[in-house]
Amino acid sequence: GDGGNTGFFYAGSRKPVHMQALFAEVISVGRIKIKERGSGADQPIFWDVFNEMRKRKTGGHWGFKCARMCGMPATCTTSDNDTIDYCALSPFTHATGWEYPEKYVDSLATYHANYASNNAKIEKLKKVNMWGLWDAKSGQCVQGTFGGSR
């Protein structure tokens, strides 16, 4: 990932302190960017911090020293405790911003309705039956409503 909308990733970690440090650094950098520029898109900021971590290979504010993507060799040599494992999830199961996502509704687990804003985002979510899954009154997800048969 190098910024922008890069899809869904899984970061496997039984290292909560390091994972919290990574996201705390992303939030910190984001706050600085907003203060300096008045705005800051979250995904590019995340990847800037992540890629800086990958390059440094020495540890830092982000907790981890190394990164290992999808079983490939790690970016450096250190303990498993200091290595974050991450992998891109299948774009056919975790789709992002497709024009006609309703064609794939039966294979989707998640859908990021990007390249749309406000009500257009809601319309995209409705096309894949992912709108209305939360019951505000009960404070719970609506059961059995996701998938192509809704």
Side-chain angles (χ1 to χ4, degrees), residues 44-100:
I45 291 168
F46 172 83
W47 287 112
D48 286 348
V49 170
F50 194 88
N51 288 329
E52 180 65 23
M53 175 192 70
R54 286 178 51 97
K55 284 189 263 180
R56 287 247 181 119
K57 303 175 186 178
T58 59
H61 301 293
W62 40 75
F64 296 103
K65 293 180 181 175
C66 299
R68 182 174 31 241
M69 182 176 180
C70 298
M72 295 177 69
T75 55
C76 67
T77 303
T78 191
S79 69
D80 272 351
N81 191 50
D82 288 331
T83 303
I84 184 173
D85 291 288
Y86 70 108
C87 199
L89 298 175
S90 166
F92 297 102
T93 306
H94 306 277
T96 59
W98 294 354
E99 276 304 305
Y100 304 103

Side-chain angles (χ1 to χ4, degrees), residues 1-143:
D2 61 0
N5 180 44
T6 55
F8 288 91
F9 281 79
Y10 169 79
S13 178
R14 295 190 185 271
K15 308 147 192 164
V17 172
H18 284 2
M19 195 62 88
Q20 290 168 357
L22 173 61
F23 281 95
E25 180 67 6
V26 170
I27 291 167
S28 175
V29 170
R31 286 183 176 152
I32 291 167
K33 300 239 184 218
I34 290 169
K35 187 175 181 178
E36 290 173 354
R37 300 189 309 222
S39 67
D42 59 344
Q43 289 184 39
I45 291 168
F46 172 83
W47 287 112
D48 286 348
V49 170
F50 194 88
N51 288 329
E52 180 65 23
M53 175 192 70
R54 286 178 51 97
K55 284 189 263 180
R56 287 247 181 119
K57 303 175 186 178
T58 59
H61 301 293
W62 40 75
F64 296 103
K65 293 180 181 175
C66 299
R68 182 174 31 241
M69 182 176 180
C70 298
M72 295 177 69
T75 55
C76 67
T77 303
T78 191
S79 69
D80 272 351
N81 191 50
D82 288 331
T83 303
I84 184 173
D85 291 288
Y86 70 108
C87 199
L89 298 175
S90 166
F92 297 102
T93 306
H94 306 277
T96 59
W98 294 354
E99 276 304 305
Y100 304 103
E102 62 274 13
K103 292 176 13 183
Y104 307 95
V105 70
D106 290 329
S107 68
L108 297 178
T110 59
Y111 178 68
H112 183 189
N114 59 341
Y115 301 108
S117 60
N118 303 321
N119 288 339
K121 193 172 283 280
I122 293 169
E123 291 307 311
K124 278 188 154 188
L125 290 168
K126 285 180 178 178
K127 285 181 181 181
V128 293
N129 302 323
M130 289 190 184
W131 184 255
L133 298 177
W134 180 255
D135 181 351
K137 288 183 182 177
S138 69
Q140 298 180 356
C141 291
V142 177
Q143 297 296 312

